[in-house]
Amino acid sequence: MRVFVTGASGWVGAAVVPELISAGHEVVGLARSDASAAAIAAAGAEVRRGDLDDPEGLRDAAAAADGVIHLAFIHDFSDMDSSGRADLRAIEAMGAALAGSGRPLVNASGTALAQPGQLATEDQAPDPNASVTHRHRSEEMMISLASRGVRTAIVRLSPTVHGDGDHGFVPVLIDIARERGVSAHVGDGSNRWPAVHQVDAATLFRLALEKGTPGSRFHGVAEEGVSTREIAAMIGRHLDVPVESVAPEDATEHFGWIGAFFALDVPASSALTRERLGWLPVQPGLIADLEAGHYFRGAPAIA
């Protein structure tokens, strides 16, 4: 299968591309910079220059492919509305190219869309009150494309997709702990984050591409919920700083923009994903990955 991948040089895409190639697929990766193009070519994929602000180019690339995996997203936390609109335009453009063909379009979403405190399942629609409304809208568009002859599949990723080289939420928490001299959690730290390893997530995207049915939802969840207290404790131990609680009303002041996310209790199940796709995560869990030390490589401990 000839697969067009947006976000091919990103954190998840860097694992998806070799996963697809090793399974015998031909990959075309979207690159918006010379550095991205070099990384995609080095991974053995064909390079297509462009970005999410070029719907016509995305439409042409999707039309020339046997399937699409959409991973790219503009992570501008100062203007998520604009980022969300760009994402919707990209999905609409690629979906229009695939309409009526039965070809797959797999889109990355997030598990933190369900009612907080409840175990999210694949069959649950997003909570309309969820803070990440752009993901809600993208899922709605994906479901509508399924009725137009596109074999859409949504892969909801855990808040943390971890592994060596991660530059997501966990490294931000580590940097905050290093800067403030304390590793904190919100409240009693019993709120939970699902987690999945980068390599296991890549396998899931391939399976969703190959086996997903129209309008399906899958969860990239290897661990249903790791307590934020455990995460803070592991960070504190590796940095040799105290572990403390921050009151919920002080979370934003202490953590900045990530405070609202770190306070969420968003456990999620992947039971239906495993059953429907035969997906079996085999990589280390989040705490084991933190224990391995690579998240703290090259950074001096704070006395």
Side-chain angles (χ1 to χ4, degrees):
M1 187 183 298
R2 182 176 172 86
V3 187
F4 175 52
V5 180
T6 73
S9 63
W11 171 238
V12 176
V16 168
V17 169
E19 172 69 22
L20 292 172
I21 292 173
S22 66
H25 299 295
E26 179 184 350
V27 178
V28 179
L30 183 69
R32 61 176 179 156
S33 68
D34 291 343
S36 293
I40 292 168
E46 180 182 330
V47 176
R48 182 182 179 97
R49 296 301 293 259
D51 56 42
L52 296 188
D53 291 322
D54 179 18
E56 185 176 343
L58 295 174
R59 186 182 300 111
D60 291 344
D66 299 311
V68 175
I69 296 180
H70 177 41
L71 302 173
F73 190 82
I74 302 169
H75 288 97
D76 181 0
F77 289 97
S78 67
D79 191 0
M80 292 302 284
D81 283 343
S82 293
S83 296
R85 287 193 296 271
D87 187 50
L88 287 176
R89 288 193 297 270
I91 295 170
E92 184 176 30
M94 294 184 289
L98 300 175
S101 69
R103 285 176 285 171
L105 170 60
V106 183
N107 184 51
S109 186
T111 60
L113 296 175
Q115 189 77 25
Q118 297 182 4
L119 185 69
T121 67
E122 294 87 337
D123 288 345
Q124 285 179 306
D127 177 5
N129 297 314
S131 59
V132 280
T133 54
H134 60 277
R135 293 300 194 191
H136 189 171
R137 292 192 293 268
S138 70
E139 288 204 6
E140 288 179 339
M141 180 170 286
M142 288 288 287
I143 297 301
S144 72
L145 286 171
S147 67
R148 294 167 53 192
V150 183
R151 184 161 60 84
T152 59
I154 298 161
V155 175
R156 292 171 170 169
L157 289 169
S158 299
T160 175
V161 180
H162 57 90
D164 195 353
D166 178 13
H167 50 266
F169 286 160
V170 170
V172 171
L173 293 171
I174 291 171
D175 287 344
I176 292 169
R178 188 176 286 123
E179 177 185 345
R180 289 187 168 268
V182 58
S183 179
H185 52 77
V186 180
D188 65 3
S190 62
N191 59 302
R192 297 154 290 177
W193 271 13
V196 66
H197 194 280
Q198 176 206 29
V199 173
D200 287 326
T203 302
L204 176 55
F205 275 101
R206 175 181 61 79
L207 291 172
L209 177 85
E210 295 171 346
K211 301 181 180 182
T213 55
S216 53
R217 294 185 181 98
F218 303 109
H219 279 186
V221 173
E223 298 172 281
E224 290 188 352
V226 181
S227 77
T228 57
R229 182 174 55 245
E230 289 181 90
I231 297 171
M234 186 60 68
I235 292 172
R237 188 163 71 78
H238 276 270
L239 294 183
D240 192 24
V241 299
V243 178
E244 296 180 1
S245 170
V246 169
E249 61 269 23
D250 297 329
T252 300
E253 187 281 327
H254 181 89
F255 291 104
W257 62 266
I258 201 175
F261 293 100
F262 202 42
L264 291 174
D265 182 37
V266 285
S269 169
S270 61
L272 294 177
T273 297
R274 299 176 194 229
E275 176 186 330
R276 293 167 180 170
L277 293 181
W279 180 59
L280 181 63
V282 296
Q283 299 298 319
L286 175 59
I287 297 303
D289 219 0
L290 285 167
E291 181 62 63
H294 54 78
Y295 273 94
F296 310 93
R297 186 183 299 137
I302 300 173

